[in-house]
């Protein structure tokens, strides 16, 4: 008899280190997400009783893979439409035979790259891609993902099942895309990871409490992709981008929980070590001479990071970088950011003119109105500034954001009164 | 796997029969069909008569009801289809994206259900 605690510890350690790897290997065999998850769960349950009786095996992860495959064989046999000739079933029997003959547990093949490309397939909707990636590669529970997205657990569970079913029924390949499809498909993977980061970033402003920090989770996933497919400039660019923003974590929220804009952050609180690492990583990426949107966005953050104060920010460089970014992403949000940079380089009046035609696209986008308010205030048009602040406050999503904007609005009002000599 | 590519587009005046524009349009369709045949992925494909010729029907309590026109009131109408045999969704999407009206309308790719 092995102590219960010892077994649990061994299991927990396999789950935390090898869960996504086990799952990725099982899906490769079974071509069925749901069955892979269920069989792995069966194997984990079985491990508790077996390991307590006969001790923790020398290769716990290999034991789990082998057992999960046998559980899958059982499940397939029990299924209503059981087909002895099915390809998956035959392969499972073969693998099991091989395990038995060689009397050892093989090393678990690492299929996580295939897994992440499948979870992030553009034929799935964006939210499902994020949820599925967090579930299978991040090891978050359905409940945790639901809380992260302010969804109910049943709704999130249903979303995951629907996505898994679509992968199977629509024949989404469990493959790493070929060279032709690679750039677009990689971009979809990186977008999902960046969305996860942004969710985590937003959560720090709301009252969403989850066990895992989604920002850390995004960084882990980006590093994982980099490890599985090294020397890709855009992956390195995304790691640098996330790290640079994440390095400002301590300075971003005040003691009262209110958010602090980059302009007013205490730069002494920025994580210099992380910034240096990220900047080095970005240099390596840029050296590969394959530019892309994530490298450019990271470069913009690097310019912010190297400024000793907000007043020292290298705006002309940032303006040029946003112009370069627009070649990849000409969305209204990117153009708005370009206008913000323009306001510091060419003055607020130029920014007011340049941003005017974004009003239609960004009518209900809070940061648009906040930016316009800042332009008007800098240009001395306090009436227009006040109206824009009010619209931004109306559109803000939480109390902390609204309070932040309200404080800005009061400052602008005070400034106006002083100028008028009231 | 088999996939049906459903071709939806907004009814637009097509060039008159016999004009060079008409020829150019037809050539595009012939060319893409040739690509599918050469690749060995094409199981079938047809163009449909315009939506004005559609009759929808349903049977309720044993009574047949017919309606003049398509089932759904949408801007884009089903105009034709291709039936592909592809190894996975990515391949089906690759071929479906060559359909000329993918540039102006929508192509819906649906796997054919395997009923054993």
């Amino acid at each position: 008899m092995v102590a219960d605690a010892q077994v649990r510890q061994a299991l927990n350690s396999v789950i935390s280190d090898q869960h996504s790897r086990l799952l990725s290997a099982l899906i490769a065999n079974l071509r069925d997400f749901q069955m892979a998850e269920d069989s792995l769960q069966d194997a984990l349950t079985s491990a508790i009783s077996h390991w307590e009786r006969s001790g923790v095996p020398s290769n716990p992860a290999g034991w789990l893979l082998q057992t999960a495959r046998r559980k899958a064989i059982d499940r397939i046999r029990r299924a209503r439409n059981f087909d002895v000739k099915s390809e998956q079933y035959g392969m499972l029997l073969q693998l099991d035979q091989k395990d038995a003959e060689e009397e050892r547990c093989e090393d678990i093949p690492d299929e996580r790259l295939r897994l992440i490309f499948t979870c992030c397939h553009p034929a799935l909707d964006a939210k499902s891609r994020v949820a599925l990636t967090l579930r299978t590669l991040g090891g978050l529970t359905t409940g945790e993902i639901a809380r992260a997205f302010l969804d109910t657990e049943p709704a999130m569970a249903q979303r995951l099942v629907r996505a898994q079913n679509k992968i199977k029924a629509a024949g989404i390949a469990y493959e790493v895309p070929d060279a032709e499809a690679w750039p677009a498909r990689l971009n979809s993977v990186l977008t999902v990871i960046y969305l996860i980061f942004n969710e985590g970033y937003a959560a720090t402003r709301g009252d969403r409490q989850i066990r895992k920090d989604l920002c850390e989770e995004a960084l882990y996933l980006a590093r994982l992709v980099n490890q599985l497919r090294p020397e890709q400039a855009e992956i390195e660019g995304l790691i640098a981008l996330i790290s640079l923003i994440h390095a400002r974590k301590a300075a971003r929220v005040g003691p009262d929980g209110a958010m602090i804009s980059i302009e007013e952050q205490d730069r002494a609180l920025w994580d210099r070590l992380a910034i240096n690492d990220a900047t080095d990583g970005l240099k390596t990426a840029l050296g590969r001479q394959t530019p892309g949107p994530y490298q450019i966005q990271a470069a913009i953050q690097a310019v912010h990071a190297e400024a000793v104060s907000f007043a020292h920010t290298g705006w002309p460089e940032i303006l040029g970088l946003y112009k370069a970014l627009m070649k990849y992403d000409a969305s209204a949000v990117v153009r708005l950011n370009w206008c913000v940079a323009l306001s510091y380089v060419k003055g607020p009046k130029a920014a007011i003119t340049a941003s005017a035609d974004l009003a239609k696209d960004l009518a209900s986008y809070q940061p648009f109105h906040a930016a316009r308010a800042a332009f008007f205030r800098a240009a001395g048009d306090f009436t227009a500034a006040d109206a824009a602040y009010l619209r931004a406050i109306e559109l803000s999503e939480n109390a902390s954001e609204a309070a932040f904007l309200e404080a800005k609005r009061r400052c602008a009002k005070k400034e106006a009164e002083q100028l008028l000599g009231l | 796997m088999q996939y049906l590519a459903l071709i939806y587009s907004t009814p637009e005046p097509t060039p008159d029969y016999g004009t060079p524009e008409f020829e150019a349009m037809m050539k595009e369709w012939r060319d893409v069909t040739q690509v599918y045949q050469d690749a060995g992925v094409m199981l079938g494909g047809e163009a449909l008569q315009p939506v004005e010729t559609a009759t929808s029907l349903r049977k309720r309590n044993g009574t047949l009801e017919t309606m003049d026109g398509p089932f759904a009131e949408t801007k884009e109408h089903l105009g034709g289809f291709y039936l592909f045999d592809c190894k996975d969704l990515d391949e089906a999407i690759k071929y479906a994206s060559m359909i000329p009206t993918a540039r102006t309308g929508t192509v819906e790719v649906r796997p054919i259900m395997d009923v054993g």
Side-chain angles (χ1 to χ4, degrees):
Chain A
M1 258 326 242
V2 186
D4 193 42
Q6 203 185 332
V7 166
R8 298 227 167 244
Q9 200 197 348
L11 258 185
N12 284 338
S13 127
V14 185
I15 293 168
S16 71
D17 298 344
Q18 310 265 20
H19 183 269
S20 61
R21 195 162 164 162
L22 279 164
L23 196 60
S24 73
L26 274 170
I27 296 169
N29 294 150
L30 301 171
R31 298 301 159 107
D32 183 325
F33 275 66
Q34 193 66 54
M35 195 193 287
E37 275 194 359
D38 292 344
S39 308
L40 185 53
Q41 198 54 50
D42 289 347
L44 290 168
T45 313
S46 167
I48 296 174
S49 55
H50 274 85
W51 296 5
E52 273 176 12
R53 207 164 49 233
S54 20
V56 177
S58 60
N59 178 357
W63 187 97
L64 284 170
L65 181 63
Q66 194 181 1
T67 308
R69 278 193 196 132
R70 288 189 180 146
K71 297 287 182 189
I73 292 173
D74 289 346
R75 278 178 179 274
I76 294 173
R77 281 183 183 147
R78 282 202 308 270
R80 199 166 46 88
N81 53 357
F82 171 51
D83 173 12
V84 190
K85 286 180 295 224
S86 98
E87 194 187 335
Q88 260 71 45
Y89 182 67
M91 187 162 69
L92 282 172
L93 288 183
Q94 237 174 30
L95 284 167
D96 193 50
Q97 185 71 24
K98 200 172 127 233
D99 282 344
E101 278 166 10
E102 296 175 9
E103 284 182 11
R104 62 169 191 98
C105 297
E106 60 182 311
D107 288 331
I108 314 169
D110 195 345
E111 306 289 7
R112 286 175 297 178
L113 200 57
R114 290 162 86 180
L115 182 57
I116 197 164
F117 272 98
T118 306
C119 291
C120 298
H121 197 283
L124 302 170
D125 85 35
K127 194 170 169 185
S128 297
R129 285 180 233 168
V130 168
L132 204 55
T133 303
L134 286 172
R135 179 88 181 87
T136 59
L137 285 132
L140 268 72
T141 64
T142 305
E144 284 169 334
I145 302 166
R147 282 193 289 287
F149 289 96
L150 302 173
D151 264 350
T152 64
E153 195 167 332
M156 184 51 76
Q158 205 185 12
R159 172 179 288 279
L160 286 164
V161 168
R162 216 185 296 131
Q164 290 175 339
N165 286 343
K166 178 162 184 189
I167 290 171
K168 195 179 168 190
I172 292 177
Y174 192 61
E175 295 294 346
V176 175
D178 58 20
E180 189 193 340
W182 175 263
R185 294 286 305 277
L186 176 65
N187 194 49
S188 177
V189 169
L190 300 181
T191 304
V192 165
I193 297 174
Y194 196 42
L195 276 172
I196 292 172
F197 178 76
N198 282 317
E199 265 318 307
Y201 192 93
T204 59
R205 285 182 278 143
D207 51 1
R208 290 183 259 180
Q209 292 297 322
I210 52 169
R211 178 176 58 100
K212 286 196 181 181
D213 177 348
L214 288 184
C215 294
E216 300 281 350
E217 197 58 38
L219 202 49
Y220 160 78
L221 290 168
R223 286 180 175 144
L224 176 65
V225 178
N226 187 47
Q227 176 205 324
L228 296 169
R229 186 57 70 93
E231 298 178 6
Q232 295 277 323
E234 276 293 89
I235 303 175
E236 293 166 336
L238 177 66
I239 296 173
L241 171 62
I242 290 178
S243 307
L244 284 164
I245 301 174
H246 201 43
R248 302 198 293 257
K249 191 181 169 187
R252 217 175 58 223
V253 183
D256 52 351
M259 80 181 242
I260 302 172
S261 74
I262 191 166
E263 188 172 355
E264 282 141 12
Q265 283 175 15
D266 175 2
R267 295 185 180 219
L269 294 174
W270 289 3
D271 183 346
R272 282 290 151 197
L273 218 60
I275 289 173
N276 290 342
D277 273 357
T279 313
D280 286 348
L282 178 60
K283 277 182 194 144
T284 309
L286 294 171
R288 299 192 193 284
Q289 307 281 331
T290 44
Y294 287 104
Q295 293 169 76
I296 296 169
Q297 291 177 80
I300 292 167
Q301 296 305 328
V303 175
H304 281 298
E306 74 188 9
V308 291
S309 72
F310 189 75
H312 288 83
T313 307
W315 288 110
E317 211 180 336
I318 291 181
L319 188 66
L321 286 164
Y322 272 118
K323 187 144 195 212
L325 184 59
M326 285 193 277
K327 269 190 275 175
Y328 298 93
D329 177 1
S331 66
V333 171
V334 173
R335 285 187 288 149
L336 173 65
N337 284 319
W338 177 81
C339 290
V340 172
L342 186 74
S343 78
Y344 290 106
V345 177
K346 293 258 163 88
K349 288 210 171 83
I352 291 169
T353 313
S355 61
D357 64 338
L358 298 174
K360 203 171 133 247
D361 286 342
L362 299 177
S364 50
Y365 184 63
Q366 178 265 108
F368 170 73
H369 298 282
R372 293 274 289 178
F375 300 159
F376 286 127
R377 178 183 170 183
D381 184 346
F382 292 99
T383 318
D386 199 57
Y389 274 129
L390 278 174
R391 183 79 187 110
I393 292 164
E394 249 172 57
L395 290 167
S396 60
E397 280 173 8
N398 58 49
S400 144
E401 211 172 80
F404 169 82
L405 290 164
E406 186 55 52
K408 288 249 171 203
R409 180 174 167 242
R410 271 200 308 275
C411 275
K413 274 195 143 165
K414 212 180 263 172
E415 202 180 305
E417 284 162 8
Q418 277 167 356
L419 279 172
L420 292 168
L422 294 170
Chain B
M1 278 185 78
Q2 291 183 14
Y3 294 90
L4 190 65
L6 297 146
I7 303 163
Y8 288 92
S9 34
T10 329
E12 272 165 30
T14 45
D16 287 332
Y17 178 79
T19 60
E21 290 77 18
F22 181 84
E23 253 325 291
M25 180 186 80
M26 291 313 287
K27 186 176 181 311
E28 255 200 304
W29 286 99
R30 279 197 303 271
D31 286 353
V32 76
T33 305
Q34 194 62 49
V35 170
Y36 301 154
Q37 280 166 348
D38 292 348
V41 295
M42 187 163 144
L43 298 174
E46 299 295 342
L48 304 179
Q49 292 279 4
V51 75
E52 293 78 40
T53 63
T55 307
S56 303
L57 64 88
R58 56 183 166 211
K59 214 166 171 179
R60 296 286 184 275
N61 303 320
T63 313
L64 178 70
E65 294 169 24
T66 58
M67 276 158 292
D68 182 16
F71 167 63
E73 283 286 331
T74 48
K75 234 173 80 189
E76 292 189 332
H77 297 303
L78 184 63
F81 68 90
Y82 280 105
L83 182 61
F84 295 132
D85 187 18
C86 292
K87 73 172 165 48
D88 55 39
L89 180 64
D90 283 333
E91 199 185 35
I93 289 174
K94 184 180 99 182
Y95 288 116
S97 70
M98 299 173 188
I99 293 172
T101 52
R103 293 192 303 263
T104 48
T106 308
V107 177
E108 180 178 327
V109 176
R110 290 269 286 274
I112 299 290
M113 194 187 279
D114 183 5
V115 285

